[in-house]
Amino acid sequence: MSITASIWLVILAALVAANLPFINQRWAVVGPVAQGRKPMWARLLEMLVLYFLVGGLALLLERRAGQIAPQGWEFYAVTGALFLTLAFPGFVYRYLVHRRD
């Protein structure tokens, strides 16, 4: 896989993973369906776990491409902010657009 393809794969995986907690009502994305509404803290916890899973995928792809570049706290601050930004469409759908009957 080329470097460009792996970059786009990580971006696409981050986009899907960031919106997944807002789109479904299952606990931990694959668990049982939540009774009633899933609380916001659970969605944020799922986002945190998915952030680390996407980071693991990125680390795996970077290791396959060559040497892993060292990252400081700035890297994690920027990627965390990017992950939250990518979650915006799911948040808008769940809390601002989605009508409950």
Side-chain angles (χ1 to χ4, degrees), residues 3-18:
I3 299 293
T4 305
S6 28
I7 290 170
W8 281 108
L9 178 65
V10 169
I11 292 172
L12 182 64
L15 179 66
V16 170

Side-chain angles (χ1 to χ4, degrees), residues 12-57:
L12 182 64
L15 179 66
V16 170
N19 287 295
L20 210 51
F22 296 106
I23 293 173
N24 69 18
Q25 279 296 104
R26 294 187 174 275
W27 290 102
V29 179
V30 293
V33 176
Q35 300 291 5
R37 288 182 36 165
K38 196 165 42 167
M40 184 63 159
W41 65 265
R43 295 184 196 279
L44 294 175
L45 183 64
E46 287 177 4
M47 278 184 59
L48 183 66
V49 169
L50 289 169
Y51 168 76
F52 285 115
L53 286 175
V54 170
L57 172 69

